[in-house]
C-alpha cells in the first residue's frame, strides 16, 4: 500500500495524489505521493483523517458482524450491510428503498477502485519513461544528482498502451487467494524500495528555513480529497476479513496496519519536502538520483505497483462482471467474463490517456466517492443499524459530526476540483506525464 504524502510541488500548491488504506496496496503507492498542506496543518490533518477513516472501517466491520449474526450468514459485503442497515431503519421510506443502498455503495466502489487503476497506468508510464530516457546518462555515482540530458523516447501515452496487454492478462486471474501471492510480491518489492528511498532522503537535508510553513487555504479542499482518497480502503476491508483463517484477529491487523501507513504517510511527506523542497515532483521516486541503484529502485517500485493493479481491480470486477455473466448461457460465461475484464482494463487505460489533469480527477474522485464510502456512509449506517437497540446520544452526535464533515468535504472538494478542471488558476502547477501525482 502506498499513501499520498509528497509536499507542495510548487510552493503555493501540493503534490496531489491518491493513496490507500489498509488492505489495498494502494497505500504503498500513495506513500510516495501524498500532499501536505504545511508542516503544521499537513501532518495534523493526515493524522486526524487517518484516525477517523480507521474508526469508520471499524464501524463497518461491527455492523457487518451484527447482520451476519442476525441473518445467520457467514459473510456480508459493504453493499449488503448498508441495505440491511436501511431495512433496520425506523423510517418506513428508507426501509422501502433499502435496495438503493446497495446500488449507491456499488457505484462509489466502482468509481473509486477504477480511479486507483487509472492512476497506476500513469505511475507506471511516468517512471518507466524517466528511467529509459535517462539510461544514457545513468552512472554509478549516487552522491551527485546532476541533471542529465534525456534521450527522447515515445510519448507517455504510448507507454500506457504498452502496459495494457500485460495488465489485461494479469486481471484474468480471478482467484483472490492467488492474487494474494502477487500482493505479497508487490509488498516486498515496494518495501525494499521504500527503505532505499528513506535512507536517501534522510541524508544531508538542506536548511528548511526558506520553505513556506503554510500553503494557501484555498487549496485545502483539494488536499482533503487527495488525503481521503489515500486513506480510503474501506471497500477491501470486508473481503479481506472474509478470506482470513481467523477473522477474529482482523481488528488488530487493521489498526496496526493503518497506524504504520499513517506514520509512513506523514514521515515520508515531511522528509521528502525537506529534502527536495519546491523541486519535488509528483512522485518522490522521480526525484531520486540518476544512478543505477536508484533507477533500479524506481523499476522495483513500479513492479510492485503493476501487481497491485489486480488487487484494486478485484472489487469492481466482483460487482460488474456477475451482472453480464448472468445474462448469457452457461457455456459462454467464461468468454463473457474475460471480455468484460478486458473492456474494464481498457477503460482505465483510456481514461488515464485522455484526462489531461489526472491530479484533479484524483482529488475529485476522493471528494466524491472516497468521502462517501469512508466518512459519510459508515456513521449513518451505525445509526440506522443500532438506533432501535438504543444508541447513546454521544454516539449519535459523534456519527452525525463525522458524516457532516465528510459531506462538507464532499461538496467543497468537488466544487474546487471541478472549478480547476473547467477554469484552471493562473498559479503554475507542475503537470507532467504523472500529473496524477503532481
Amino acid at each position: 500500500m502506498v499513501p499520498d504524502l509528497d509536499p507542495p510541488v510548487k510552493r503555493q500548491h501540493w503534490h496531489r495524489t491518491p493513496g490507500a488504506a489498509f488492505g489495498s496496496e494502494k497505500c504503498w503507492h500513495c506513500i510516495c505521493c501524498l500532499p501536505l498542506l504545511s508542516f503544521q496543518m499537513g501532518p495534523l490533518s493526515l493524522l486526524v483523517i487517518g484516525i477517523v477513516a480507521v474508526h469508520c472501517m471499524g464501524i463497518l466491520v461491527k455492523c457487518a458482524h451484527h447482520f451476519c449474526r442476525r441473518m445467520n450468514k457467514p459473510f456480508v459485503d459493504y453493499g449488503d450491510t448498508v441495505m440491511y442497515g436501511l431495512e433496520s431503519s425506523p423510517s418506513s421510506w428508507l426501509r422501502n428503498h433499502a435496495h438503493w443502498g446497495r446500488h449507491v455503495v456499488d457505484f462509489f466502489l466502482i468509481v473509486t477502485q477504477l480511479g486507483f487503476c487509472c492512476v497506476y497506468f500513469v505511475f507506471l508510464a511516468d517512471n518507466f519513461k524517466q528511467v529509459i530516457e535517462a539510461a544514457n546518462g545513468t552512472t554509478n555515482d549516487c552522491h551527485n544528482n546532476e541533471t542529465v540530458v534525456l534521450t527522447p523516447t515515445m510519448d507517455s501515452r504510448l507507454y500506457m498502451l504498452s502496459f495494457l496487454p500485460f495488465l489485461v492478462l494479469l486481471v484474468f486471474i480471478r482467484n483472490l487467494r492467488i492474487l494474494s501471492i502477487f500482493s505479497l510480491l508487490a509488498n516486498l518489492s515496494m518495501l525494499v524500495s521504500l527503505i532505499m528511498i528513506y535512507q536517501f532522503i534522510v541524508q544531508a537535508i538542506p536548511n528548511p528555513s526558506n520553505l513556506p510553513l503554510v500553503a494557501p487555504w484555498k487549496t485545502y479542499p483539494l488536499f482533503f480529497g487527495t488525503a481521503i482518497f489515500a486513506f480510503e480502503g474501506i471497500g477491501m476491508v470486508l473481503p479481506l476479513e472474509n478470506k482470513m483463517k481467523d477473522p477474529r484477529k482482523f481488528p488488530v491487523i487493521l489498526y496496526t496496519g493503518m497506524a504504520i501507513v499513517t506514520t509512513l504517510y506523514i514521515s515520508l511527506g515531511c522528509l521528502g519536502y525537506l529534502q527536495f523542497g519546491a523541486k519535488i515532483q509528483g512522485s518522490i521516486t522521480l526525484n531520486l538520483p540518476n544512478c543505477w541503484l536508484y533507477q533500479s529502485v524506481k523499476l522495483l517500485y513500479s513492479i510492485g505497483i503493476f501487481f497491485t493493479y489486480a488487487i484494486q481491480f478485484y472489487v469492481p470486477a466482483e460487482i460488474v462482471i456477475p451482472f453480464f455473466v448472468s445474462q448469457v448461457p452457461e457455456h459462454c460465461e467464461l468468454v463473457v467474463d474475460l471480455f468484460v475484464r478486458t473492456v474494464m482494463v481498457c477503460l482505465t487505460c483510456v481514461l488515464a490517456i485522455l484526462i489531461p489533469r489526472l491530479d484533479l480527477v484524483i482529488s475529485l474522485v476522493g471528494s466524491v466517492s472516497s468521502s462517501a464510502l469512508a466518512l459519510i456512509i459508515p456513521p449513518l449506517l451505525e445509526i440506522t443499524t443500532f438506533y432501535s437497540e438504543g444508541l447513546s446520544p454521544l454516539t449519535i452526535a459523534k456519527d452525525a459530526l463525522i458524516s457532516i464533515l465528510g459531506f462538507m468535504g464532499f461538496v467543497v472538494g468537488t466544487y474546487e476540483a471541478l472549478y480547476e478542471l473547467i477554469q484552471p488558476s493562473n498559479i503554475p502547477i507542475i503537470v507532467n506525464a504523472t500529473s496524477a501525482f503532481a
Side-chain angles (χ1 to χ4, degrees), residues 169-433:
L169 293 176
L170 181 65
V171 302
F172 281 176
I173 301 173
R174 298 175 291 168
N175 189 303
L176 188 59
R177 293 188 181 277
I178 297 177
L179 290 177
S180 66
I181 299 175
F182 291 105
S183 175
L184 176 61
L185 295 175
N187 282 332
L188 290 175
S189 65
M190 288 188 279
L191 178 60
V192 172
S193 301
L194 195 58
I195 292 173
M196 296 300 298
I197 293 171
Y198 263 106
Q199 68 85 28
F200 175 77
I201 62 176
V202 297
Q203 300 179 35
I205 295 178
N207 187 344
S209 59
N210 294 326
L211 297 175
L213 288 177
V214 181
W217 282 98
K218 179 178 172 58
T219 51
Y220 193 87
L222 298 175
F223 165 84
F224 172 84
T226 302
I228 195 60
F229 191 90
F231 280 109
E232 193 285 301
I234 200 167
M236 289 296 294
V237 167
L238 295 179
L240 284 171
E241 184 198 31
N242 183 49
K243 296 297 182 179
M244 289 184 64
K245 291 183 178 180
D246 187 1
R248 292 173 297 179
K249 297 180 180 178
F250 183 75
V252 175
I253 296 175
L254 172 64
Y255 297 132
T256 303
M258 284 304 298
I260 295 173
V261 167
T262 303
T263 302
L264 292 174
Y265 277 176
I266 296 174
S267 63
L268 193 62
C270 291
L271 291 172
Y273 187 41
L274 289 172
Q275 178 65 243
F276 301 114
K279 297 183 294 182
I280 191 77
Q281 296 192 54
S283 171
I284 201 170
T285 56
L286 301 177
N287 289 88
L288 297 177
N290 292 308
C291 65
W292 288 112
L293 175 62
Y294 291 107
Q295 295 292 63
S296 64
V297 168
K298 298 175 189 178
L299 295 177
L300 189 62
Y301 209 98
S302 297
I303 291 172
I305 290 296
F306 175 84
F307 288 121
T308 296
Y309 183 99
I311 303 295
Q312 299 301 328
F313 187 85
Y314 180 83
V315 172
E318 287 295 296
I319 296 172
V320 173
I321 293 175
F323 170 79
F324 291 97
V325 169
S326 64
Q327 309 298 316
V328 299
E330 186 175 351
H331 66 276
C332 297
E333 288 182 354
L334 179 59
V335 174
V336 171
D337 184 306
L338 298 181
F339 175 76
V340 174
R341 289 175 183 271
T342 303
V343 171
M344 291 174 67
V345 177
C346 291
L347 175 63
T348 62
C349 181
V350 170
L351 290 175
I353 291 172
L354 294 181
I355 299 175
R357 293 290 304 279
L358 196 54
D359 58 328
L360 292 179
V361 174
I362 289 168
S363 183
L364 178 63
V365 173
S367 298
V368 177
S369 299
S370 299
S371 292
L373 291 173
L375 299 182
I376 300 175
I377 295 177
L380 297 178
L381 174 63
E382 183 175 35
I383 294 175
T384 59
T385 300
F386 298 106
Y387 185 82
S388 59
E389 300 181 12
L391 273 180
S392 69
L394 183 61
T395 301
I396 295 176
K398 177 264 298 180
D399 289 340
L401 178 62
I402 293 175
S403 289
I404 290 172
L405 292 178
F407 183 75
M408 290 174 60
F410 167 88
V411 174
V412 180
T414 301
Y415 171 80
E416 287 294 334
L418 288 175
Y419 184 83
E420 282 287 333
L421 281 170
I422 297 171
Q423 190 176 356
S425 63
N426 293 326
I427 299 176
I429 301 175
I430 291 179
V431 180
N432 54 25

Side-chain angles (χ1 to χ4, degrees), residues 108-120:
F108 285 134
L109 283 173
I110 291 171
V111 171
T112 301
Q113 298 299 126
L114 292 184
F116 299 159
C117 293
C118 291
V119 173
Y120 287 174

